[in-house]
Amino acid sequence: MAPPEIADLVVVNTCGFIDPAKEESIEALLVACAAAHSRGAEVAAIGCLVERYRDELARELPDVDVLCGFEIDPLLGKLRELSGGGRAPQAPARRHRSLHTYLKVSDGCDRRCTFCAIPLIKGRYAITPPEDILALAESALARGSREFVLVGQDVSRYDAPEYGGLPRLLADLAALGPAWIRLLYLQPDGITDELLAAIGRSAVHYLDLPLQHASASVLRRMRRGGDAESFLALLARVRAALPGVALRSTFITGFPGEDDVDFARLVEFVREARLSVAGVFPFDPQEGTPAASLGDQVPVDVREQRAARLAHVIEEAAADYWSGLVGRRLEVLVERGCRGGRGEGVGRIAAQAPDVDGVTYVTGVGLRRGQLVTATVDGTVGFDLTARTD
Ligand code: SF4
């Protein structure tokens, strides 16, 4: 894959999920068009923003040369044209592969959370067949991948006809021999004891549970269900099954009708839950979703103030988890090594997911990228750690 400065075709993968992502995608397209067209190259926009707003993009961004949503043919056609006809070129080896591979176990969602546009964009829930997931995992390992990260909108629902659910998939993936397997986006009502046992056997002790809120009335209006008590009971069950588990979540502040009492319940819950990390998003009404037209909309500045306050409480509450690791000997997956003698590399412990969580700065001798080393944690900096191998 050529860098964008010399590529004949610059491909921008867009996102149509929330407004900031849409704006970022459009900004990236404008920048790509200006840079590419100034040297005679072309620009293709792909992904869910195109799928959702194809006509508007064609009208508003006429400079984009190819619009390609979830179908692949327009992009392949352009690649064929640029390569002088014949077969579309195969993607050459990437110059710098990451050590983790995202395995999309399903796409789409049959739930109808009132704030969410994903079912409108992606459609009904559909699994990726297990043989496709395993084939991708095998080829990723052959290219040097060390970690599988299972993703999808509703990962805990995975169940393939005549194959089975996540426990079997986890066992089959583990048998291929990655260093780590990690699951993201597990819906709280999908956490069965059987799944926890399978994670205990085959995956890292890390759970990402998007809880979104803790007030029963807000959760009901979100059409998600649950409340602070049931979530605390779930977290206790997870901790009993997976000792030392790192727990990530996400929350929305300022959902329509969220009053001071609801928000106070959320803050109290976050203090009690002792999560290791969580993302917080001020409510952002999405076109076409029920929540966008609910009454009792919370003013934007209140949504944002509550998000900032909750992020602060999460960081305070998480400090115990991270400082509790100081002095422990833990495995670190080295993502950036150091040449020669003693030096500092950068990696992650199992409690740190790639791309979204913090990192571990590890000091040692001859640290190699891809190596799994055991190191003693000797400090914390927010959600990052420092560690040494001796
Ligand atoms: S479960 Fe997730 S993807 Fe599905 S509707 Fe709810 S928030 Fe959206």
Side-chain angles (χ1 to χ4, degrees):
M1 191 181 303
E5 310 81 67
I6 60 164
D8 294 327
L9 180 69
V10 177
V11 181
V12 178
N13 192 8
T14 64
C15 176
F17 179 34
I18 54 173
D19 287 344
K22 292 179 203 165
E23 285 156 19
E24 199 177 318
S25 298
I26 289 169
E27 180 70 13
L29 282 168
L30 292 171
V31 170
C33 284
H37 292 162
S38 68
R39 55 181 182 77
E42 297 188 39
V43 174
I46 65 169
C48 63
L49 185 77
V50 182
E51 187 66 24
R52 199 170 177 204
Y53 298 105
R54 188 183 304 268
D55 295 345
E56 291 90 330
L57 287 175
R59 207 168 45 241
E60 304 295 329
L61 295 178
D63 282 355
V64 176
D65 303 283
V66 183
L67 289 172
C68 184
F70 296 157
E71 77 286 10
I72 193 76
D73 288 350
L75 186 60
L76 290 178
K78 177 54 73 176
L79 288 170
R80 266 189 216 105
E81 179 194 318
L82 291 174
S83 61
R87 279 171 53 80
Q90 300 292 306
R94 284 171 56 186
R95 290 175 304 153
H96 192 78
R97 291 187 183 283
S98 57
L99 291 174
H100 58 276
T101 300
Y102 290 103
L103 299 174
K104 192 188 265 193
V105 300
S106 63
D107 210 2
C109 187
D110 288 345
R111 297 177 190 246
R112 288 290 178 269
C113 304
T114 52
F115 55 81
C116 181
I118 284 182
L120 304 175
I121 301 171
K122 298 269 187 171
R124 302 290 308 262
Y125 172 88
I127 62 158
T128 311
E131 57 273 19
D132 293 359
I133 299 171
L134 292 165
L136 180 61
E138 241 177 308
S139 71
L141 279 185
R143 293 193 314 266
S145 184
R146 301 281 283 137
E147 178 176 354
F148 299 148
V149 184
L150 274 55
V151 293
Q153 273 79 41
D154 196 352
V155 168
S156 31
R157 179 177 164 181
Y158 191 85
D159 195 9
E162 294 169 22
Y163 175 84
L166 272 184
R168 172 149 184 215
L169 184 63
L170 288 175
D172 287 350
L173 286 169
L176 299 176
W180 289 339
I181 299 175
R182 181 185 307 277
L183 296 96
L184 299 184
Y185 315 126
L186 296 168
Q187 296 299 330
D189 57 7
I191 308 299
T192 61
D193 289 345
E194 189 197 4
L195 177 58
L196 290 174
I199 293 172
R201 284 191 299 273
S202 307
V204 290
H205 289 195
Y206 179 103
L207 242 63
D208 172 36
L209 296 163
L211 299 175
Q212 310 301 3
H213 213 283
S215 152
S217 61
V218 174
L219 285 162
R220 207 170 38 247
R221 281 196 299 282
M222 289 177 164
R223 212 185 285 147
R224 288 185 60 87
D227 56 20
E229 288 66 35
S230 64
F231 289 164
L232 287 171
L234 169 63
L235 299 185
R237 193 156 60 84
V238 171
R239 287 190 165 105
L242 304 171
V245 64
L247 290 163
R248 160 177 267 279
S249 192
T250 46
F251 299 101
I252 294 172
T253 60
F255 187 80
E258 181 195 69
D259 61 17
D260 289 346
V261 175
D262 294 318
F263 182 64
R265 187 69 196 99
L266 176 56
V267 169
E268 188 189 336
F269 169 77
V270 161
R271 288 210 176 98
E272 289 174 54
R274 293 176 293 117
L275 303 168
S276 55
V277 63
V280 184
F281 303 93
F283 173 67
D284 182 20
Q286 295 303 302
E287 196 183 332
T289 61
S293 51
L294 280 177
D296 281 343
Q297 294 282 330
V298 175
V300 173
D301 58 334
V302 175
R303 298 176 205 164
E304 288 173 355
Q305 284 158 15
R306 287 178 181 169
R309 163 116 182 85
L310 191 67
H312 182 70
V313 174
I314 286 166
E315 195 164 344
E316 272 180 356
D320 275 356
Y321 175 84
W322 295 103
S323 60
L325 298 180
V326 174
R328 298 264 311 274
R329 304 259 306 150
L330 297 172
E331 284 187 324
V332 180
L333 180 60
V334 178
E335 294 186 310
R336 201 175 73 215
C338 56
R339 287 173 196 275
R342 195 174 175 76
E344 187 182 79
V346 184
R348 290 178 290 110
I349 62 167
Q352 293 167 322
D355 300 327
V356 288
D357 292 341
V359 296
T360 297
Y361 297 94
V362 57
T363 307
V365 178
L367 297 170
R368 276 181 294 108
R369 180 176 149 76
Q371 199 182 3
L372 206 53
V373 297
T374 303
T376 306
V377 178
D378 56 12
T380 65
V381 189
F383 295 105
D384 295 334
L385 297 174
T386 56
R388 59 184 196 290
T389 57
D390 45 18

